[in-house]
Amino acid sequence: MINGFKEFIMRGNVIDLAVAVVIGTAFTALVTAIVTSIFNPLIAAIFSADSLAGALVVTLPNKSEILFGAVIGALINFLLIAAVVYLVIVLPLNKLKEAQDRRRSAGVPAAVVPDPTTELDLLTEIRDLLARNAAAAPEQGPKH
């Protein structure tokens, strides 16, 4: 069970997911700070309230309240996050994909990447060079 857990933790996608969660949390904190520090006071000033959560409050007959301002704040927070994700991630990736599709349709290869050379490839090349040199050199006996 412990070995299976180690394998699970060491997978690349688990690490990537952890990094995404940490960055997402930091990004959410940034957007929340922008909403609470900039947008909340502006909207609250329009509705003459101390904060956005205190704006557009509807009191029900049983003395409970519906906080429309808090919902508007959460909506603004969501829209800001969605806009940044779209502008920073989705839009550039779509442009890159469109450019690759245009190159592909024009017959231009996306990128010519040579195959990576492995140790086995290098050893095979050295063996072949030594064999060619040995065949080309006349028999002169040992060279000491």
Side-chain angles (χ1 to χ4, degrees):
M1 184 167 98
I2 292 175
N3 286 335
F5 181 72
K6 278 193 232 178
E7 289 177 22
F8 171 73
I9 292 299
M10 296 308 291
R11 286 185 190 161
N13 56 358
V14 172
I15 305 286
D16 294 342
L17 182 60
V19 169
V21 167
V22 170
I23 290 175
T25 303
F27 181 69
T28 300
L30 174 66
V31 172
T32 301
I34 291 171
V35 169
T36 57
S37 301
I38 297 172
F39 291 105
N40 282 358
L42 290 174
I43 294 173
I46 293 171
F47 295 104
S48 300
D50 292 336
S51 69
L52 188 55
L56 296 173
V57 176
V58 175
T59 305
L60 299 175
N62 65 354
K63 305 293 184 208
S64 60
E65 298 176 329
I66 298 175
L67 305 172
F68 287 111
V71 174
I72 293 172
L75 180 65
I76 292 171
N77 199 352
F78 170 76
L79 291 175
L80 284 174
I81 291 172
V84 170
V85 167
Y86 178 76
L87 294 172
V88 173
I89 297 172
V90 175
L91 191 63
L93 288 177
N94 285 344
K95 295 291 184 185
L96 180 65
K97 185 178 177 185
E98 289 173 10
Q100 286 178 342
D101 289 343
R102 279 195 306 270
R103 282 195 302 264
R104 202 172 290 128
S105 65
V108 178
V112 178
V113 178
D115 291 333
T117 304
T118 64
E119 288 180 28
L120 181 61
D121 295 334
L122 291 174
L123 291 173
T124 304
E125 188 176 330
I126 291 169
R127 181 201 64 200
D128 294 345
L129 286 171
L130 289 173
R132 257 185 273 146
N133 287 342
E139 292 293 326
Q140 298 177 357
K143 295 181 183 178
H144 293 345

XYZ file of all heavy atoms in Angstrom, residues 70-121:
389
model
N -24.018 40.771 -1.882
C -23.011 39.724 -1.747
C -22.995 38.829 -2.982
O -21.933 38.404 -3.442
C -23.277 38.899 -0.488
N -24.166 38.568 -3.532
C -24.248 37.756 -4.750
C -23.618 38.501 -5.919
O -22.890 37.919 -6.729
C -25.714 37.371 -5.056
C -25.822 36.658 -6.386
C -26.278 36.519 -3.936
N -23.869 39.796 -6.003
C -23.261 40.603 -7.071
C -21.740 40.599 -6.937
O -21.017 40.484 -7.928
C -23.829 42.038 -7.069
C -25.305 42.011 -7.468
C -23.024 42.951 -7.983
C -26.010 43.336 -7.307
N -21.234 40.685 -5.692
C -19.788 40.625 -5.468
C -19.191 39.307 -5.919
O -18.134 39.265 -6.549
N -19.871 38.207 -5.599
C -19.393 36.895 -6.036
C -19.445 36.780 -7.559
O -18.555 36.191 -8.176
C -20.226 35.792 -5.385
N -20.469 37.347 -8.178
C -20.579 37.333 -9.634
C -19.440 38.123 -10.283
O -18.841 37.671 -11.260
C -21.935 37.903 -10.066
C -22.189 37.962 -11.563
C -22.235 36.563 -12.149
C -23.485 38.698 -11.857
N -19.139 39.290 -9.711
C -18.013 40.088 -10.229
C -16.713 39.308 -10.085
O -15.892 39.263 -11.012
C -17.927 41.444 -9.505
C -19.123 42.313 -9.884
C -16.624 42.156 -9.820
C -19.246 43.574 -9.053
N -16.522 38.670 -8.943
C -15.329 37.857 -8.705
C -15.216 36.759 -9.759
O -14.160 36.568 -10.372
C -15.420 37.260 -7.299
C -14.096 36.790 -6.769
O -13.107 36.762 -7.467
N -14.092 36.394 -5.515
N -16.304 36.048 -10.012
C -16.316 34.988 -11.012
C -16.000 35.529 -12.408
O -15.206 34.953 -13.147
C -17.680 34.287 -11.020
C -17.853 33.352 -12.177
C -17.240 32.110 -12.189
C -18.617 33.729 -13.281
C -17.400 31.255 -13.263
C -18.770 32.874 -14.358
C -18.158 31.637 -14.345
N -16.624 36.626 -12.779
C -16.404 37.200 -14.114
C -14.955 37.649 -14.298
O -14.391 37.479 -15.390
C -17.370 38.358 -14.362
C -18.844 37.953 -14.524
C -19.726 39.196 -14.634
C -19.026 37.045 -15.725
N -14.365 38.219 -13.251
C -12.959 38.625 -13.356
C -12.053 37.415 -13.544
O -11.151 37.424 -14.399
C -12.529 39.411 -12.119
C -13.020 40.842 -12.037
C -12.653 41.449 -10.694
C -12.412 41.670 -13.153
N -12.276 36.370 -12.770
C -11.458 35.163 -12.915
C -11.644 34.559 -14.307
O -10.674 34.204 -14.983
C -11.809 34.132 -11.821
C -11.350 34.648 -10.459
C -11.178 32.775 -12.110
C -11.816 33.810 -9.290
N -12.889 34.469 -14.759
C -13.157 33.905 -16.084
C -12.513 34.743 -17.181
O -11.955 34.198 -18.139
C -14.664 33.794 -16.311
N -12.565 36.069 -17.053
C -11.962 36.940 -18.068
C -10.452 36.768 -18.119
O -9.865 36.673 -19.205
C -12.324 38.399 -17.781
N -9.818 36.703 -16.960
C -8.356 36.540 -16.943
C -7.967 35.173 -17.500
O -7.017 35.070 -18.286
C -7.804 36.759 -15.519
C -6.348 36.365 -15.435
C -7.976 38.220 -15.116
N -8.669 34.120 -17.122
C -8.362 32.788 -17.654
C -8.532 32.781 -19.168
O -7.695 32.252 -19.901
C -9.254 31.715 -16.989
C -9.192 30.397 -17.739
C -8.842 31.512 -15.549
N -9.588 33.421 -19.662
C -9.807 33.461 -21.103
C -8.699 34.247 -21.805
O -8.141 33.790 -22.803
C -11.174 34.082 -21.416
C -11.431 34.187 -22.897
C -11.769 33.067 -23.637
C -11.304 35.399 -23.562
C -11.985 33.141 -24.998
C -11.517 35.486 -24.923
C -11.857 34.357 -25.640
O -12.057 34.442 -26.981
N -8.384 35.428 -21.282
C -7.406 36.292 -21.940
C -5.978 35.779 -21.823
O -5.170 35.985 -22.728
C -7.498 37.711 -21.384
C -8.807 38.451 -21.684
C -8.862 39.761 -20.931
C -8.970 38.673 -23.171
N -5.651 35.114 -20.724
C -4.270 34.692 -20.500
C -4.007 33.275 -20.997
O -2.916 32.979 -21.448
C -3.914 34.818 -18.997
C -2.567 34.231 -18.678
C -3.967 36.272 -18.569
N -5.014 32.408 -20.946
C -4.782 31.004 -21.310
C -5.506 30.613 -22.595
O -4.882 30.170 -23.563
C -5.207 30.075 -20.156
C -4.347 30.355 -18.919
C -5.086 28.617 -20.558
C -4.800 29.651 -17.673
N -6.813 30.778 -22.619
C -7.613 30.249 -23.734
C -7.323 30.989 -25.040
O -7.068 30.362 -26.079
C -9.115 30.301 -23.389
C -9.962 29.882 -24.569
C -9.407 29.430 -22.181
N -7.370 32.297 -25.032
C -7.174 33.080 -26.253
C -5.795 32.850 -26.876
O -5.710 32.567 -28.086
C -7.414 34.566 -25.971
C -7.504 35.474 -27.185
C -8.689 35.088 -28.058
C -7.636 36.914 -26.738
N -4.693 32.927 -26.107
C -3.388 32.650 -26.735
C -3.276 31.232 -27.289
O -2.698 31.031 -28.361
C -2.389 32.874 -25.596
C -3.073 33.780 -24.659
C -4.524 33.430 -24.748
N -3.826 30.233 -26.589
C -3.758 28.867 -27.098
C -4.580 28.708 -28.370
O -4.174 28.002 -29.291
C -4.219 27.874 -26.037
C -3.247 27.663 -24.878
C -3.842 26.715 -23.851
C -1.916 27.137 -25.377
N -5.735 29.372 -28.443
C -6.537 29.331 -29.673
C -5.798 29.984 -30.832
O -5.836 29.490 -31.965
C -7.887 30.001 -29.460
C -8.838 29.148 -28.647
O -8.628 27.954 -28.469
N -9.885 29.765 -28.130
N -5.127 31.105 -30.582
C -4.349 31.774 -31.638
C -3.212 30.885 -32.116
O -2.937 30.791 -33.311
C -3.795 33.115 -31.136
C -4.848 34.139 -30.819
C -5.530 34.621 -32.060
C -6.524 35.717 -31.711
N -7.296 36.131 -32.848
N -2.544 30.214 -31.168
C -1.458 29.312 -31.530
C -1.975 28.158 -32.377
O -1.365 27.796 -33.386
C -0.779 28.781 -30.266
C 0.381 27.822 -30.476
C 1.535 28.525 -31.172
C 0.836 27.262 -29.144
N -3.105 27.604 -31.999
C -3.693 26.500 -32.758
C -4.098 26.955 -34.156
O -3.880 26.245 -35.134
C -4.903 25.944 -32.013
C -5.487 24.727 -32.674
C -6.645 24.172 -31.889
C -7.243 22.997 -32.629
N -8.438 22.482 -32.008
N -4.683 28.158 -34.269
C -5.054 28.687 -35.585
C -3.826 28.868 -36.469
O -3.852 28.539 -37.663
C -5.784 30.015 -35.436
C -7.182 29.908 -34.876
C -7.791 31.274 -34.582
O -7.211 32.307 -34.983
O -8.866 31.298 -33.947
N -2.741 29.380 -35.889
C -1.509 29.579 -36.663
C -0.953 28.237 -37.139
O -0.506 28.111 -38.281
C -0.479 30.327 -35.821
N -0.988 27.224 -36.267
C -0.508 25.904 -36.670
C -1.394 25.315 -37.762
O -0.892 24.702 -38.703
C -0.475 24.967 -35.466
C 0.648 25.254 -34.519
C 0.625 24.348 -33.305
O -0.389 23.729 -33.005
N 1.743 24.281 -32.605
N -2.700 25.501 -37.659
C -3.607 24.999 -38.688
C -3.358 25.688 -40.027
O -3.395 25.044 -41.079
C -5.062 25.185 -38.259
C -5.468 24.261 -37.130
O -4.752 23.256 -36.884
O -6.502 24.543 -36.478
N -3.094 27.002 -40.007
C -2.786 27.734 -41.251
C -1.500 27.207 -41.875
O -1.425 26.996 -43.081
C -2.664 29.231 -40.980
C -3.974 29.964 -40.894
C -3.792 31.469 -40.985
N -2.844 31.998 -40.015
C -3.161 32.421 -38.787
N -4.410 32.371 -38.372
N -2.244 32.887 -37.969
N -0.463 26.992 -41.051
C 0.803 26.467 -41.579
C 0.604 25.061 -42.136
O 1.140 24.718 -43.183
C 1.873 26.459 -40.490
C 2.486 27.800 -40.219
C 3.760 27.671 -39.408
N 3.550 27.004 -38.135
C 3.341 27.610 -36.977
N 3.317 28.921 -36.933
N 3.175 26.926 -35.873
N -0.163 24.249 -41.430
C -0.400 22.875 -41.868
C -1.154 22.850 -43.183
O -0.849 22.079 -44.085
C -1.173 22.127 -40.784
C -1.020 20.633 -40.853
C -1.622 19.925 -39.656
N -0.836 20.177 -38.459
C -1.344 20.626 -37.311
N -2.621 20.850 -37.190
N -0.564 20.833 -36.275
N -2.163 23.727 -43.322
C -2.935 23.757 -44.560
C -2.119 24.327 -45.716
O -2.381 24.023 -46.866
C -4.226 24.556 -44.372
O -3.942 25.918 -44.119
N -1.117 25.150 -45.412
C -0.253 25.700 -46.452
C 0.867 24.733 -46.805
O 1.650 24.990 -47.707
C 0.341 27.032 -46.001
N 0.979 23.635 -46.071
C 2.006 22.647 -46.370
C 3.307 22.892 -45.652
O 4.294 22.227 -45.915
N 3.346 23.846 -44.735
C 4.563 24.123 -43.979
C 4.531 23.283 -42.714
O 3.560 23.324 -41.967
C 4.646 25.628 -43.606
C 5.884 25.913 -42.788
C 4.612 26.464 -44.857
N 5.573 22.526 -42.461
C 5.570 21.733 -41.229
C 5.616 22.650 -40.007
O 6.212 23.727 -40.042
C 6.840 20.885 -41.333
C 7.691 21.574 -42.324
C 6.774 22.336 -43.245
N 4.949 22.242 -38.944
C 4.871 23.056 -37.723
C 6.260 23.306 -37.157
O 6.604 24.415 -36.825
C 3.988 22.375 -36.688
N 7.069 22.285 -37.071
C 8.440 22.439 -36.600
C 9.199 21.175 -36.969
O 8.689 20.074 -36.824
C 8.474 22.663 -35.096
N 10.398 21.376 -37.444
C 11.227 20.228 -37.768
C 12.144 20.017 -36.578
O 13.093 20.770 -36.366
C 12.037 20.468 -39.056
C 12.932 19.283 -39.349
C 11.101 20.755 -40.209
N 11.823 19.021 -35.791
C 12.618 18.719 -34.609
C 13.342 17.415 -34.879
O 12.704 16.387 -35.112
C 11.716 18.577 -33.357
C 12.539 18.220 -32.145
C 10.929 19.839 -33.140
N 14.681 17.458 -34.874
C 15.396 16.208 -35.100
C 15.152 15.267 -33.926
O 14.912 15.697 -32.808
C 16.860 16.647 -35.173
C 16.911 17.942 -34.441
C 15.559 18.572 -34.622
N 15.224 13.978 -34.240
C 15.047 13.007 -33.172
C 16.156 13.190 -32.145
O 17.317 13.419 -32.508
C 15.114 11.581 -33.728
C 13.914 11.269 -34.597
O 12.854 11.883 -34.366
O 14.050 10.432 -35.508
N 15.827 13.102 -30.884
C 16.873 13.262 -29.876
C 17.856 12.101 -29.959
O 17.487 10.959 -30.182
C 16.113 13.246 -28.552
C 14.814 12.590 -28.860
C 14.537 12.872 -30.302
N 19.122 12.410 -29.815
C 20.163 11.404 -29.893
C 20.275 10.719 -28.539
O 20.382 11.372 -27.513
C 21.510 12.048 -30.265
O 21.347 12.760 -31.486
C 22.587 11.015 -30.420
N 20.247 9.421 -28.560
C 20.380 8.654 -27.326
C 21.788 8.093 -27.231
O 22.564 8.137 -28.200
C 19.365 7.496 -27.287
O 19.682 6.589 -28.354
C 17.940 8.003 -27.423
N 22.134 7.542 -26.089
C 23.448 6.936 -25.909
C 23.632 5.769 -26.875
O 24.710 5.580 -27.421
C 23.612 6.456 -24.467
C 23.769 7.584 -23.467
C 23.930 7.060 -22.059
O 24.434 5.926 -21.867
O 23.567 7.794 -21.139
N 22.561 5.020 -27.085
C 22.647 3.887 -28.001
C 22.967 4.366 -29.419
O 23.786 3.767 -30.118
C 21.332 3.091 -27.983
C 21.286 1.861 -28.877
C 22.362 0.858 -28.466
C 19.921 1.225 -28.833
N 22.349 5.482 -29.836
C 22.638 6.029 -31.166
C 24.105 6.439 -31.275
O 24.765 6.170 -32.281
C 21.744 7.241 -31.452
C 20.272 6.885 -31.543
O 19.966 5.726 -31.873
O 19.439 7.772 -31.268
